[in-house]
Amino acid sequence: MDSRISDKLKILADAAKYDVSCSSSGGKRKNDNKGLGNSEGMGICHSYTEDGRCVSLLKILLTNYCIYDCAYCVTRKSNDVQRAAFTVQEVVDLTINFYRRNYIEGLFLSSGIFKNADYTMERLVRIAKKLRQEQKFNGYIHLKTIPGASEELIKEAGLYADRLSVNIELPSEQSLKQLAPEKNYTEILLPMDNIKQQLVQAKEESKLFKSAPVFAPAGQSTQLIVGASAENDHQILQLSSGLYKDYNLKRVYYSGYVPISSDSRLPIITGPPIIRENRIYQADWLMRFYGFSASEIVDEKQPNLDLEIDPKLAWALRNRYMFPVEINTADYELILRVPGIGVKSAKKIVSARRFAQLSFEHLRQMGVVLKRAKYFITCQAKSLHRHDFDSQVIRRKILFGDGAVRSSLLTQQLDLFRQVG
Amino acid sequence: MYLYTYDGTFEGLLTVVFEAYERKAWPVSIARAYLVQPDMFGESITVVTDDQKASRVWSGLQKKLSVEAQQALYYAFLWEQKGYEMLVFDYIKLVFDSPVSIEGNYAAPCVLQLQQVHKQVHREKHRMEAFVRFQKTSDGLYFATIAPDFNVLPIVINHFEKRYADQRWVIYDLHRKYGAYYDLASTLLIDLEETGSKALQAVLLGNVLDEEEDKYKQLWQVYFDHVNIPERKNPKLHQRHMPKRYWKYLSEKQPKIDLKSERLM
Ligand code: SF4
């Protein structure tokens, strides 16, 4: 067989894997042309890597030749690695053949900058166009926009892609200047704003005309690298909270810096900051689904997330005056703020209590995990513990009590990597 | 003490409900006819499936249940674990006996259990949709075998019909010995042993794959190896998401296809 394709795939999958996003949800492309594929609704993880991340898309670079020299990136010009480039047709064939065998939900295509931004972006767009028009492909396509690509090309990309992303790369402009001297925030935020305008416009038009062209129906996302520069969690969460608000982003992805590079501009670390990355994702969830604001989670006085306990528990321990919450009467929003109670459990509780006064036994049967929650709730005015513990004691009990630590840490990690869009 | 037997179909089970109400004779057990031991205590009633009676019960349920709860009932039937018929029965009886909706009343044991079973079957359905791996045969058919914990084939068909509208495919349940065959127009349930289809049996024996099949299987293995970030290795999490018993489906978890023998071809 053609071992060249296989070698290219090795190089260009290797180079693409540090972009952590692999979500394929939020697509709205139905298979109504009797073509191939369907991407309505939730995306599917078809496999999991040995590090436990979802494999949903064929995530590759078109090429890892690059004219830029970003310190944190394996593909940077000055790095001594093997280089390769796919042809347009090779990417199309791989995508279609993987998809037909049910290996993937679609394609996530990115690229090093070959020659110049538009030259590269034009090829990415051509691949997406070919898939849609020649192959009648309705699977998921995520295109990364190349920094500096023209507005027209980005606009065209949105016609074929389900999601577009512009990576913000680092949590502050200052770090970006240091580590990626060819890049700057203005050049990153401009296309992000462009895409946002296009999204808004497409939405307006679709209200007026049924046949209005769709534009990136799964929205836009971004990624930033955690731990390659000195910003604290407060700065990071402020930034993402602003990005969610100002640019209607679907997701901000956080990528714990993997020490791949011996570039002297970078900190020396032994492994990626996986726990910190987890905690930031949890905080991001609290902002998106639990009604927390960034400043409730961390502030100037305590700028970093507690690595030992999750941010919701940390918040509850700082705000003991809000507890205990009575399960049978408290508002949904408040139940949602109880450590250990997630969206599903909170909904179940609110639903079940219409039928009966709930007891702890009911909660257990409904699958509500009480390990953490029990310190913060009452059921029919009853509590599961006899004493009122102070915050330090609760923290200790949750961390070290009856073997709770390992299993709960593991579940937290699992929750994090569950794919959402 | 009434022991009901039926033919193992969903309609049959709904007919049992009809008969039980008709006679006011509540079952203590319901089982497929051939599974019942003759020396069990109590009076046994053999129910003959009657589509009309079944659809009367079902439309009665449709009036009182949300679409989701109707689906949960059907999923409980596909669950096929010990006591599933009685679970379906108890739930239906509670629905009919209660003046108000029982959905969400998790304090009632059968409502809670049905909800849990719904979730389990749904999870298995989702896993099959994720882990099915098709192999292309020399005549352009895409073929996959499965052996799911629960009988989820009937409820994954719709997903694959929508996704692979332009390719012929077969998904075959090795445990339950039946499959679904999509022929570009509609999907039929097939039984390889009965129809004796030579072409499909040959596929099962693995001799008639498309000449590019090994190439793409190998490329997928290559891809799988190279998206991994060794610095982040976490085997526990890996297995939690992808339990070992599913690995048998996955091309990426099969022995590596040897490049050298490949080149000889
Ligand atoms: S431009 Fe992109 S691919 Fe090129 S070095 Fe920078 S981050 Fe890497």
Side-chain angles (χ1 to χ4, degrees):
Chain A
M1 71 154 265
D2 191 352
S3 60
R4 271 194 2 251
I5 292 279
S6 165
D7 291 338
K8 286 185 187 180
L9 185 60
K10 278 179 200 165
I11 295 169
L12 296 168
D14 253 332
K17 68 188 174 191
Y18 298 100
D19 200 317
V20 287
S21 135
C22 197
S23 162
S24 56
S25 50
K28 293 195 179 76
R29 222 167 282 270
K30 275 194 202 155
N31 189 352
D32 41 23
N33 53 359
K34 232 186 170 192
L36 171 65
N38 185 24
S39 47
E40 314 167 72
M42 290 293 283
I44 297 175
C45 296
H46 286 275
S47 193
Y48 289 88
T49 58
E50 277 163 22
D51 49 83
R53 286 170 311 133
C54 165
V55 179
S56 168
L57 303 170
L58 171 62
K59 182 165 36 173
I60 47 175
L61 299 190
L62 176 63
T63 176
N64 68 337
Y65 288 100
C66 192
I67 55 172
Y68 279 9
D69 200 39
C70 312
Y72 47 81
C73 177
V74 268
T75 300
R76 71 188 182 282
K77 182 174 61 185
S78 64
N79 200 18
D80 181 21
V81 288
Q82 244 188 318
R83 309 277 167 173
F86 279 125
T87 65
V88 168
Q89 193 57 43
E90 282 167 348
V91 176
V92 170
D93 288 344
L94 268 180
T95 307
I96 294 293
N97 277 289
F98 278 9
Y99 194 89
R100 287 199 182 283
R101 288 166 177 77
N102 206 38
Y103 297 165
I104 53 170
E105 290 294 281
L107 173 68
F108 179 175
L109 188 60
S110 174
S111 185
I113 308 176
F114 189 61
K115 287 199 178 144
N116 61 51
D118 274 355
Y119 183 92
T120 314
M121 191 70 208
E122 193 269 330
R123 273 166 179 69
L124 301 189
V125 173
R126 188 133 42 98
I127 288 169
K129 184 174 178 182
K130 236 180 167 171
L131 282 168
R132 295 289 187 225
Q133 293 186 343
E134 284 175 22
Q135 305 284 334
K136 287 213 249 166
F137 179 67
N138 300 305
Y140 196 87
I141 301 180
H142 179 161
L143 292 185
K144 217 190 97 177
T145 62
I146 302 300
S150 73
E151 202 181 323
E152 290 75 54
L153 277 172
I154 292 177
K155 198 170 163 185
E156 203 192 342
L159 298 178
Y160 310 116
D162 293 289
R163 175 167 283 183
L164 294 175
S165 59
V166 183
N167 284 356
I168 189 107
E169 308 287 14
L170 292 167
S172 80
E173 171 121 52
Q174 197 195 350
S175 301
L176 194 68
K177 252 191 214 135
Q178 256 167 16
L179 299 182
E182 290 103 338
K183 293 181 179 170
N184 60 62
Y185 264 22
T186 325
E187 255 182 50
I188 290 169
L189 294 176
L190 191 73
M192 215 184 254
D193 192 52
N194 255 325
I195 294 171
K196 178 196 156 186
Q197 306 294 347
Q198 296 284 349
L199 285 167
V200 172
Q201 195 188 333
K203 210 174 185 180
E204 288 300 311
E205 279 171 7
S206 74
K207 274 184 214 147
L208 296 174
F209 322 102
K210 269 227 158 71
S211 58
V214 289
F215 185 87
Q220 68 166 326
S221 63
T222 193
Q223 166 175 282
L224 57 86
I225 299 165
V226 171
S229 50
E231 291 80 11
N232 59 36
D233 298 339
H234 179 58
Q235 283 165 291
I236 291 174
L237 291 176
Q238 287 294 339
L239 176 68
S240 6
S241 150
L243 289 172
Y244 282 127
K245 256 209 310 277
D246 300 339
Y247 298 93
N248 300 348
L249 293 189
K250 279 277 148 60
R251 289 291 303 272
V252 175
Y253 289 94
Y254 309 90
S255 166
Y257 172 64
V258 181
I260 31 162
S261 150
S262 51
D263 196 292
S264 59
R265 291 170 284 179
L266 286 163
I268 297 166
I269 52 175
T270 49
I274 290 179
I275 297 181
R276 180 174 176 210
E277 179 194 289
N278 281 0
R279 295 291 178 228
I280 294 177
Y281 270 112
Q282 289 174 323
D284 182 275
W285 274 61
L286 292 183
M287 298 197 294
R288 289 186 302 135
F289 301 118
Y290 289 78
F292 282 82
S293 69
S295 54
E296 282 181 292
I297 303 168
V298 275
D299 53 29
E300 272 113 17
K301 272 188 291 172
Q302 281 181 315
N304 285 313
L305 294 163
D306 193 324
L307 292 184
E308 272 181 7
I309 57 174
D310 68 87
K312 197 178 180 196
L313 176 59
W315 172 84
L317 290 177
R318 289 197 307 269
N319 293 277
R320 290 294 300 287
Y321 72 94
M322 309 212 30
F323 299 99
V325 161
E326 169 55 45
I327 284 298
N328 286 290
T329 55
D331 285 344
Y332 170 75
E333 289 73 24
L334 199 51
I335 292 180
L336 211 47
R337 288 191 168 223
V338 174
I341 295 187
V343 174
K344 272 195 194 138
S345 292
K347 286 201 172 135
K348 254 195 238 164
I349 288 169
V350 177
S351 157
R353 71 186 185 185
R354 292 181 294 131
F355 296 93
Q357 284 279 310
L358 300 180
S359 64
F360 280 103
E361 199 41 42
H362 285 132
L363 294 187
R364 267 196 206 102
Q365 284 166 356
M366 282 156 53
V368 177
V369 185
L370 294 175
K371 203 152 256 169
R372 275 169 293 166
K374 67 179 174 193
Y375 300 103
F376 302 94
I377 56 175
T378 56
C379 282
Q380 304 169 40
K382 285 193 206 71
S383 168
L384 263 195
H385 45 87
R386 243 172 280 148
H387 310 285
D388 255 347
F389 298 115
D390 79 11
S391 294
Q392 278 313 315
V393 178
I394 295 179
R395 183 190 170 98
R396 216 173 40 236
K397 276 183 174 293
I398 289 174
L399 274 175
F400 307 109
D402 32 279
V405 215
R406 280 188 30 199
S407 60
S408 67
L409 272 179
L410 185 65
T411 351
Q412 281 162 19
Q413 291 197 354
L414 289 169
D415 285 345
L416 278 166
F417 287 107
R418 204 163 291 154
Q419 188 208 23
V420 280
Chain B
M1 295 272 280
Y2 295 98
L3 318 168
Y4 282 80
T5 60
Y6 76 119
D7 64 356
T9 63
F10 191 55
E11 289 75 17
L13 186 54
L14 293 176
T15 312
V16 169
V17 176
F18 187 95
E19 297 292 343
Y21 267 88
E22 189 89 334
R23 298 159 200 239
K24 299 263 175 299
W26 310 124
V28 288
S29 105
I30 306 171
R32 293 186 190 202
Y34 62 88
L35 292 176
V36 174
Q37 288 120 29
D39 57 342
M40 277 170 72
F41 292 105
E43 187 180 334
S44 117
I45 300 172
T46 305
V47 168
V48 181
T49 301
D50 179 324
D51 284 350
Q52 258 180 6
K53 290 176 182 172
S55 73
R56 274 179 62 189
V57 173
W58 189 246
S59 57
L61 288 167
Q62 283 178 316
K63 281 190 202 108
K64 300 191 74 171
L65 287 177
S66 68
V67 176
E68 197 195 336
Q70 294 166 31
Q71 187 192 65
L73 258 181
Y74 181 53
Y75 278 28
F77 173 74
L78 300 175
W79 186 50
E80 292 183 341
Q81 303 301 298
K82 196 167 180 291
Y84 72 103
E85 289 110 335
M86 279 308 291
L87 170 64
V88 170
F89 182 87
D90 289 342
Y91 187 88
I92 294 179
K93 186 156 190 307
L94 191 65
V95 173
F96 286 144
D97 292 355
S98 161
V100 294
S101 166
I102 60 158
E103 282 173 51
N105 181 9
Y106 300 116
C110 71
V111 178
L112 184 67
Q113 200 194 354
L114 194 88
Q115 191 256 349
Q116 288 158 346
V117 167
H118 188 198
K119 205 163 115 190
Q120 277 184 42
V121 175
H122 186 268
R123 189 185 302 142
E124 188 71 358
K125 167 185 188 282
H126 191 75
R127 279 182 169 147
M128 286 306 127
E129 290 169 357
F131 297 154
V132 157
R133 297 285 183 264
F134 288 109
Q135 295 184 283
K136 190 179 181 184
T137 69
S138 50
D139 67 344
L141 177 81
Y142 287 81
F143 193 93
T145 55
I146 58 174
D149 291 353
F150 315 121
N151 184 16
V152 293
L153 182 58
I155 51 176
V156 300
I157 289 174
N158 185 262
H159 169 85
F160 288 105
E161 271 179 348
K162 280 201 277 184
R163 175 163 296 222
Y164 299 115
D166 74 339
Q167 72 189 36
R168 288 158 55 239
W169 51 260
V170 165
I171 300 173
Y172 193 79
D173 184 334
L174 295 167
H175 270 173
R176 295 167 189 84
K177 299 207 187 319
Y178 79 110
Y181 170 50
Y182 172 76
D183 64 0
L184 299 181
S186 59
T187 306
L188 308 167
L189 293 183
I190 53 166
D191 181 330
L192 288 190
E193 276 151 25
E194 247 170 43
T195 55
S197 158
K198 287 241 163 58
L200 294 180
Q201 280 175 359
V203 169
L204 271 179
L205 297 174
N207 305 325
V208 287
L209 292 178
D210 183 85
E211 52 183 21
E212 286 204 316
E213 183 52 37
D214 272 351
K215 165 178 154 185
Y216 282 108
K217 218 180 282 167
Q218 190 237 339
L219 285 171
W220 176 242
Q221 290 180 342
V222 165
Y223 178 69
F224 183 75
D225 280 351
H226 286 265
V227 279
N228 186 41
I229 302 179
E231 292 91 334
R232 300 181 64 121
K233 194 173 164 87
N234 188 344
K236 250 194 213 152
L237 188 62
H238 177 62
Q239 279 193 36
R240 179 77 179 250
H241 282 309
M242 224 159 62
K244 273 208 169 123
R245 66 179 189 283
Y246 294 96
W247 290 10
K248 57 180 179 283
Y249 305 121
L250 304 173
S251 340
E252 61 270 29
K253 287 290 184 188
Q254 303 312 312
K256 295 269 154 55
I257 294 178
D258 189 358
L259 252 177
K260 266 177 264 153
S261 63
E262 215 44 44
R263 284 210 182 99
L264 296 175
M265 285 170 56

